[in-house]
Amino acid sequence: MTEARGAAGGIPLLRTLDSPRFRLLLAALLAILGVALNVSMARILIAGGGIALEDFVPYFAAALRMADGESPYLAEQLAGPVPAICHGCYLYPPLLAQLLVPFTSLPLDTAKVLWLALLSGAAFGSAWIGAGIGGATRSLERLLWTIAATAWFLPVFHSNYLGNVGSLVALGAVLVALGGVAGGVGAASLTWLKVSPLAYVPVALFSDARSRITVVVALLVLLLPSVLLAPSAWQELPEVLWNLVRGSGDTYLNLAPAAMARNIGWSETAVTLVRGLTLAGGVTAMLGAMWMARRPTGLPLATLLATVTMLLVPGTLWYHYLAVLLPLAAMAWPRSGAWLKAALLGGATVTSLAGLAALPIGL
């Protein structure tokens, strides 16, 4: 995502990447093809009966209910356990629905277009900022590589096609890695947006003083007006989350290790062991994140470790959640050697190819 002088490291067949003109041409070609591919995949899915921005529809409906002074949550969400895939359910804190109330003055299709534009900008912005944190300089080449990376990394397409908040989480995560006021605002915003990114708050608290103060102030500034405007909705949130936790996560789309172990027929004892190890891994990553956040240059790694916690601790892990990995890879790319870049590219390729199998059914 930046100038790659010497990036080939003398590796045969890759030495052409040391040519600025060739890299610029390649970046432009991949950017154009990537955007075209995204548009084509979306059109194919819609023609096949898919619903573009399917996840945005419940957000929009929740905003409509809140605009009418009603609860953003459905009665079934308060009545008892709900499955991980709860069609029509709004699963987030009330703040997101409140922020979307202005969208309700528009037709749903128009609101979808605006939401998709916002998500696309967030995805691009997260990768651009991530590359900057890694040391990339501003240039046309960086712009084109950022567009290409955003377009070709399939979890981003999944997330944006669904209309999910994944790209906003990616943007918030990279703000946490910036530290300071941006880090505090990013951690606080994500917490009230989706709850599970609460893992980023300790990173902000253990970081520099400005980040520490900002995250506390931002948590209160975002929460208090929202609670005053919709106190009953916030009272319902713990019950909604508890019912979601108690609901079944047994679906082949759930990539959480314990769910995958159950889906392939492992015993309940083995599934419980996997879940325990997963939780232990998440806690260990969180402790590592807090330790790294205290180090002068440790915020990028701290953000990575907090992201691991965010992905591992919940009992559900959807493919589009992996969109948050894009800015983390962008942070690592500029200072990486040829072999590490090859590993990052290989990992992104495998992740994207794996997602192709889910395209007709996962979206």
Side-chain angles (χ1 to χ4, degrees):
M1 292 176 201
T2 183
E3 296 82 350
R5 293 179 179 83
I11 299 175
L13 301 180
L14 295 182
R15 293 171 185 168
T16 50
L17 291 175
D18 291 337
S19 166
R21 288 186 178 181
F22 178 79
R23 289 197 313 271
L24 191 63
L25 178 62
L26 180 61
L29 179 62
L30 289 176
I32 293 170
L33 290 177
V35 172
L37 179 64
N38 276 234
V39 173
S40 298
M41 286 193 298
R43 294 180 65 180
I44 291 171
L45 290 170
I46 293 171
I51 302 174
L53 280 82
E54 183 177 358
D55 281 6
F56 178 71
V57 175
Y59 305 167
F60 189 83
L64 282 172
R65 291 192 292 271
M66 295 210 77
D68 292 335
E70 301 173 3
S71 171
Y73 306 111
L74 301 179
E76 63 186 273
Q77 295 179 259
L78 299 168
V82 295
I85 298 181
C86 181
H87 294 290
C89 294
Y90 175 74
L91 304 173
Y92 301 136
L95 181 61
L96 176 61
Q98 290 171 314
L99 293 175
L100 289 176
V101 167
F103 281 66
T104 61
S105 63
L106 303 170
L108 176 58
D109 287 343
T110 303
K112 281 184 174 183
V113 171
L114 291 177
W115 185 245
L116 179 59
L118 177 63
L119 295 179
S120 300
F124 171 84
S126 70
W128 175 267
I129 295 171
I133 292 174
T137 58
R138 296 183 181 182
S139 66
L140 175 60
E141 184 183 341
R142 174 182 166 189
L143 174 68
L144 293 172
W145 279 120
T146 302
I147 294 172
T150 305
W152 283 97
F153 191 52
L154 201 60
V156 173
F157 172 81
H158 269 249
S159 185
N160 291 353
Y161 177 84
L162 281 169
N164 195 269
V165 296
S167 290
L168 296 179
V169 173
L171 180 59
V174 81
L175 291 180
V176 172
L178 278 174
V181 173
V185 171
S189 300
L190 290 183
T191 297
W192 297 137
L193 180 75
K194 198 182 172 183
V195 178
S196 61
L198 175 65
Y200 293 117
V201 170
V203 174
L205 289 174
F206 279 79
S207 183
D208 57 277
R210 286 192 301 170
S211 180
R212 185 160 47 251
I213 294 171
T214 302
V215 72
V216 173
V217 172
L219 284 170
L220 294 175
V221 167
L222 291 171
L223 178 64
L224 292 180
S226 179
V227 171
L228 290 175
L229 289 171
S232 59
W234 282 96
Q235 290 173 357
E236 293 168 344
L237 177 62
E239 186 175 1
V240 167
L241 294 178
W242 177 237
N243 285 338
L244 183 62
V245 169
R246 292 194 297 154
S248 173
D250 295 339
T251 166
Y252 65 95
L253 295 174
N254 188 353
L255 301 180
M260 293 181 67
R262 181 177 287 109
N263 289 338
I264 62 177
W266 286 16
S267 68
E268 281 304 310
T269 300
V271 170
T272 300
L273 177 60
V274 170
R275 180 60 178 153
L277 291 174
T278 302
L279 289 173
V283 171
T284 301
M286 190 72 261
L287 293 174
M290 291 187 290
W291 184 74
M292 287 303 303
R294 298 176 64 89
R295 300 177 66 84
T297 60
L299 267 180
L301 182 55
T303 303
L304 169 62
L305 292 171
T307 301
V308 171
T309 299
M310 180 184 70
L311 295 176
L312 288 183
V313 170
T316 53
L317 174 57
W318 310 123
Y319 178 77
H320 56 269
Y321 285 6
L322 302 182
V324 73
L325 299 180
L326 177 65
L328 302 178
M331 283 191 286
W333 184 271
R335 293 193 176 99
S336 298
W339 292 108
L340 182 54
K341 285 182 177 178
L344 288 170
L345 184 59
T349 301
V350 170
T351 301
S352 294
L353 290 176
L356 283 175
L359 269 179
I361 49 181
L363 296 177

